Amino acid sequence: MEVLKIAIAGIAGVLFAVQLRSVRPEYAVYIGMVTCVILFYYGVSRLSIVVDTLNSIQNYVTVSDIYIKMLLKIIGVTYIAEFSSAICRDAGYQAVAGQIEVFSKLVILAVSMPVLQALLETIDSLIG
Amino acid sequence: MSVNVIFKIAAVGILVSVISQVLKHSGREEHAFLTSLAGLILVLFWIIPYISELFETIKQLFSL
């Protein structure tokens, strides 16, 4: 049922944006952005359920806290980066969208470096 | 975070385009530009709180 509301809101926003695109192109971008923000907001409320279960899983499986935190951080970074680069692409600025994506990839790489190090250490301890 | 922001912005967009057309035809070019600028600022005033609230939720949710 919730999906229906989201779909209708999205289509209404797009129709307004299309209508305004010919007359005032900048308002088409604003309406696109606002629709994106609202739908994203509804999505985030669903995502909090996933995050809560992920945290509650922790006390069954003794996965060390760092990895779960890192996983959440990576999900957050991708979520925001994808959202903002899509808006920039929508407004017609591919280069800016590309920059945002490159930056988010670098952040994810930087965040996941410790895992790589831990892996190499364990391998080294096994073999060495 | 309700949906009627979309309709408010659409209304402002249509209003501004009509007003600027009228002003343009009556010879006041700079007024038309000022009206569209005012419309822009008004819409930004509406959008910015939504975007900042969204990013706050994300930051709090993912403990970024």
Side-chain angles (χ1 to χ4, degrees):
Chain A
M1 199 46 220
E2 186 71 26
V3 178
L4 210 59
K5 213 165 56 151
I6 303 284
I8 291 172
I11 290 173
V14 163
L15 289 184
F16 273 119
V18 162
Q19 207 271 334
L20 278 173
R21 184 176 295 278
S22 57
V23 184
R24 302 215 60 88
E26 67 269 16
Y27 279 93
V29 175
Y30 299 151
I31 292 183
M33 194 187 292
V34 166
T35 325
C36 229
V37 166
I38 289 176
L39 300 188
F40 194 31
Y41 190 75
Y42 282 119
V44 161
S45 62
R46 290 297 171 281
L47 205 57
S48 61
I49 301 167
V50 174
V51 170
D52 297 343
T53 40
L54 207 60
N55 288 334
S56 67
I57 279 171
Q58 251 195 319
N59 31 30
Y60 303 128
V61 178
T62 58
V63 179
S64 83
D65 189 33
I66 313 164
Y67 299 129
I68 297 287
K69 278 263 176 297
M70 193 182 302
L71 199 64
L72 286 181
K73 200 182 280 290
I74 287 178
I75 293 176
V77 166
T78 18
Y79 217 82
I80 292 188
E82 196 276 332
F83 169 73
S84 46
S85 75
I87 284 187
C88 297
R89 200 170 296 120
D90 216 16
Y93 292 91
Q94 315 285 344
V96 177
Q99 281 310 311
I100 293 178
E101 273 163 20
V102 164
F103 176 75
S104 70
K105 289 190 181 93
L106 290 177
V107 165
I108 290 172
L109 206 58
V111 162
S112 59
M113 270 309 133
V115 181
L116 192 65
Q117 215 169 359
L119 180 69
L120 292 180
E121 270 151 24
T122 39
I123 292 175
D124 184 43
S125 66
L126 287 177
I127 296 171
Chain B
M1 197 49 81
S2 62
V3 188
N4 60 13
V5 173
I6 300 179
F7 306 126
K8 271 198 289 185
I9 292 181
V12 165
I14 294 170
L15 210 64
V16 162
S17 57
V18 166
I19 291 176
S20 67
Q21 288 299 336
V22 166
L23 285 174
K24 223 169 265 174
H25 284 313
S26 69
R28 292 186 186 74
E29 198 66 44
E30 61 286 355
H31 289 297
F33 173 72
L34 287 180
T35 351
S36 69
L37 205 62
L40 164 71
I41 290 168
L42 180 66
V43 165
L44 276 184
F45 254 114
W46 284 336
I47 290 185
I48 299 293
Y50 275 102
I51 292 185
S52 69
E53 185 189 338
L54 180 72
F55 281 162
E56 277 315 311
T57 339
I58 295 268
K59 207 153 66 140
Q60 178 261 334
L61 183 66
F62 290 109
S63 65
L64 282 177

